[in-house]
Amino acid sequence: MTAANQYRSVGSRIFDAINIAVLVGLGLITLLPLLYVLAGSFASESEISSRTFFLWPEKFVTSTYEYIFATDVFIRALLTTVGVTLVGTVVQVALTLTMAYPLAKRYLPGRALVLNLVIFTVVFSGGIIPTYLVVRDMGLLNSYWALILPLAINPFYLIIVKSFFQELPEALEEAARIDGCTEMGVFWKIVLPLSKPIIATFSLFYAVGIWNDYMSPLLYIDDSSKWTLQVLVRQLTGADAQNALSALETVFFPTQGLKFAVVVIATLPILCFYPFLQKHFVKGVLIGSVKE
C-alpha cells in the first residue's frame, strides 16, 4: 500500500469502488450492442431469427462477408469512403493549420474581426437549405468535393489550433527569421514539427467526421455509384432496404446478417485506428486549449 492510499478514509475508498463499478457497468452496456452486431454478422439467418439476443453464434458463417467482398457495390462504396476520407482529412487539416497560424499573430490587421466571425459560426450556422444552395451554385452536386469543402474548416478546432500556435515560444520564430527564414519557412520548418500532437489529434477528428458522415452524400450525391459506405449502411438498414438494393442493380435482398456485416465493416477501421492515436488526444487537445 502506498503512502497516499494509507491515509485515505474509508468513505473515499468506498466512493472510488462505486465509481469503478459504475464505469465498468456502463462500459459493458456500451460494449454489448457491438458484440451482438459482430456475432450476428457471423451467424446464419435462421439463428438470427430464432435467437433474440446472443454474443456468440452457434455456428460461424462467413458467406455474408464473402458476398460483400465479391460485390462491386460494396467494394466501390468502401473505396469511395476511404478516398474521400484521406483527401478530405488532408484538405481540412491543411486549411485549418494555414488559417490558424496567421490568426495566432496578434499584430495581424483585422484579426479581431475574423476571430469574431469564426466564433459567430460556432454558435450559428446557415442551415441545410442555404448550404445546399451554395453547393449547387458552385457546381459541386454529385461531386466528391461536395463532401469535403462545405465542412473544410471546423471553427471549434480552428480556435484550439490557434491557441496552440500562440503558446509556441516566439524566440524560436524570431531566431529563424534572423537566420533568413521566410514566414512560410518558419511555419513549415519550425511550427509544424512542434505541432505533431495536435496535428495527429485533429487529423483523426476530421477523419472520423468524414468517415461517419452520411448526411452530406445523402444531400449532395444523387448518383448511387458514388455512394459512400455510410449511405449504403443507412440504405440497407432502413425500411427501404429492398428498394435500395434494386437501385444498386443487385438481386440479393439484404438479410439481417448482411446488415450486421456492413455495420461491422463501416465501424471496424475507426476502432482499429483509435488505440494507436489515443496517446495524442489528451496532449494535443489540452495543449491547444490553454487560454490566452
Side-chain angles (χ1 to χ4, degrees):
M1 180 180 295
T2 63
N5 291 331
Q6 185 177 0
Y7 295 100
R8 292 176 60 195
S9 65
V10 176
S12 177
R13 296 177 185 176
I14 295 175
F15 179 77
D16 288 345
I18 294 175
N19 272 344
I20 293 173
V22 171
L23 292 176
V24 170
L26 292 176
L28 292 176
I29 293 174
T30 304
L31 189 61
L32 285 178
L34 297 177
L35 294 178
Y36 171 63
V37 171
L38 180 61
S41 67
F42 287 101
S44 62
E45 181 66 14
S46 58
E47 182 178 359
I48 296 174
S49 302
S50 60
R51 300 177 66 184
T52 305
F53 181 81
F54 58 91
L55 300 178
W56 191 268
E58 296 177 349
K59 181 181 179 181
F60 276 85
V61 177
T62 60
S63 58
T64 302
Y65 288 98
E66 293 173 0
Y67 169 78
I68 287 177
F69 290 106
T71 306
D72 293 339
V73 173
F74 296 96
I75 298 298
R76 183 170 59 244
L78 179 60
L79 294 178
T80 297
T81 305
V82 171
V84 171
T85 301
L86 292 177
V87 175
T89 301
V90 172
V91 171
Q92 292 178 350
V93 171
L95 292 178
T96 300
L97 293 175
T98 52
M99 183 175 181
Y101 179 68
L103 290 178
K105 307 304 178 184
R106 293 181 174 86
Y107 56 79
L108 180 71
R111 172 178 178 269
L113 174 62
V114 176
L115 283 177
N116 288 332
L117 293 175
V118 171
I119 294 172
F120 181 85
T121 62
V122 175
V123 183
F124 303 98
S125 64
I128 294 177
I129 295 178
T131 304
Y132 178 86
L133 295 177
V134 171
V135 172
R136 184 198 64 184
D137 293 342
M138 293 180 66
L140 297 178
L141 292 181
N142 277 322
S143 169
Y144 294 131
W145 289 110
L147 312 181
I148 299 173
L149 295 181
L151 304 175
I153 298 179
N154 185 301
F156 180 70
Y157 296 168
L158 175 68
I159 294 173
I160 296 179
V161 176
K162 185 268 302 180
S163 300
F164 173 83
F165 286 156
Q166 287 182 180
E167 297 158 18
L168 295 177
E170 295 183 3
L172 292 176
E173 299 182 20
E174 293 175 358
R177 294 188 184 96
I178 292 174
D179 290 339
C181 206
T182 63
E183 198 66 44
M184 282 301 299
V186 173
F187 176 70
W188 186 260
K189 298 178 180 179
I190 305 298
V191 175
L192 289 186
L194 295 174
S195 307
K196 290 180 181 179
I198 203 165
I199 292 175
T201 300
F202 289 107
S203 294
L204 185 61
F205 286 172
Y206 274 126
V208 172
I210 298 173
W211 183 274
N212 291 332
D213 182 25
Y214 74 89
M215 183 59 69
S216 295
L218 199 64
L219 291 174
Y220 308 134
I221 304 297
D222 295 329
D223 187 355
S224 59
S225 64
K226 295 183 179 180
W227 277 357
T228 62
L229 190 60
Q230 300 303 331
V231 175
L232 190 60
V233 170
R234 180 189 178 277
Q235 298 296 94
L236 296 183
T237 56
D240 58 344
Q242 189 170 10
N243 294 332
L245 266 292
S246 61
L248 294 174
E249 299 180 355
T250 177
V251 297
F252 187 89
F253 182 76
T255 62
Q256 291 295 327
L258 179 62
K259 296 178 182 180
F260 289 153
V262 174
V263 172
V264 170
I265 294 174
T267 308
L268 190 60
I270 301 301
L271 293 179
C272 292
F273 277 111
Y274 255 109
F276 296 102
L277 296 177
Q278 186 178 4
K279 62 181 180 180
H280 297 290
F281 288 174
V282 175
K283 183 178 179 181
V285 174
L286 289 183
I287 290 177
S289 62
V290 177
K291 297 181 180 179
E292 301 182 36

